Amino acid sequence: MYILQARRALRALKGLVRLQALVRGHNVRKQAQMTMRCMQALVRVQARVRARRLQLTHEKLQMKAEEEDERRLSVVEEIMNPKSPLKSYKWDSRNRSPGKIFKENASKKHDAFMKRERALAYAYAYEVCILHVFRCN
């Protein structure tokens, strides 16, 4: 008789242990799902912030490029339409015609313009590299 009761108690205990494992497993899965949802939300927010920063940087670079284009146009107009070669350019009292002086000065301006362009291209490339490094970290 005691053996029968012990077997019933053991069977009930086994069922209770299974039920506890099931409930604990469910709770653990629920907690893991909640953690994953929170992590997903954080990743989404970080992606939005990163995208906004890149957008602002891109807009800033576009504005700089537009300003540089406007400056280039004004320089080109100044070179193409000088008011007077004697006013625009320094006269060095050598035996040269105003046409030669204009060509030399235009050449100097072109060289300076190309140097500036190379420097800007280098700076832009360096800035893009820095952005890439920060994005990867």
Side-chain angles (χ1 to χ4, degrees):
M1 181 143 164
Y2 291 115
I3 294 176
L4 189 60
Q5 286 178 345
R7 285 184 183 165
R8 282 183 193 162
L10 182 62
R11 192 177 303 137
L13 189 60
K14 283 182 180 178
L16 189 62
V17 168
R18 282 185 190 152
L19 184 63
Q20 278 181 337
L22 222 148
V23 169
R24 283 183 185 157
H26 179 70
N27 287 340
V28 169
R29 280 194 302 276
K30 210 162 123 180
Q31 190 176 6
Q33 285 176 349
M34 189 62 182
T35 305
M36 289 301 288
R37 279 192 211 118
C38 291
M39 286 175 63
Q40 247 181 347
L42 278 173
V43 168
R44 267 188 258 129
V45 168
Q46 286 174 341
R48 283 182 189 169
V49 168
R50 193 178 305 122
R52 181 68 180 145
R53 281 183 185 164
L54 287 174
Q55 182 182 6
L56 289 174
T57 305
H58 184 68
E59 289 171 2
K60 198 176 187 182
L61 288 173
Q62 278 184 333
M63 287 174 52
K64 282 183 183 178
E66 289 170 4
E67 289 173 1
E68 189 62 33
D69 288 344
E70 289 173 8
R71 274 192 237 135
R72 279 188 216 135
L73 285 176
S74 66
V75 167
V76 169
E77 287 174 3
E78 185 181 313
I79 290 172
M80 294 300 188
N81 302 321
K83 294 175 185 163
S84 166
L86 297 177
K87 286 183 184 176
S88 304
Y89 307 103
K90 294 180 181 176
W91 187 263
D92 64 353
S93 72
R94 282 192 258 168
N95 220 357
R96 291 186 293 173
S97 68
K100 282 185 180 178
I101 293 171
F102 175 77
K103 284 182 182 178
E104 287 175 8
N105 284 330
S107 174
K108 287 178 186 176
K109 284 190 176 185
H110 178 72
D111 292 343
F113 174 75
M114 292 306 291
K115 282 182 183 178
R116 193 167 46 251
E117 280 298 309
R118 280 195 296 272
L120 286 173
Y122 174 80
Y124 176 74
Y126 183 73
E127 187 176 31
V128 168
C129 287
I130 293 296
L131 284 174
H132 179 71
V133 167
F134 282 126
R135 230 182 304 153
C136 289
N137 288 338

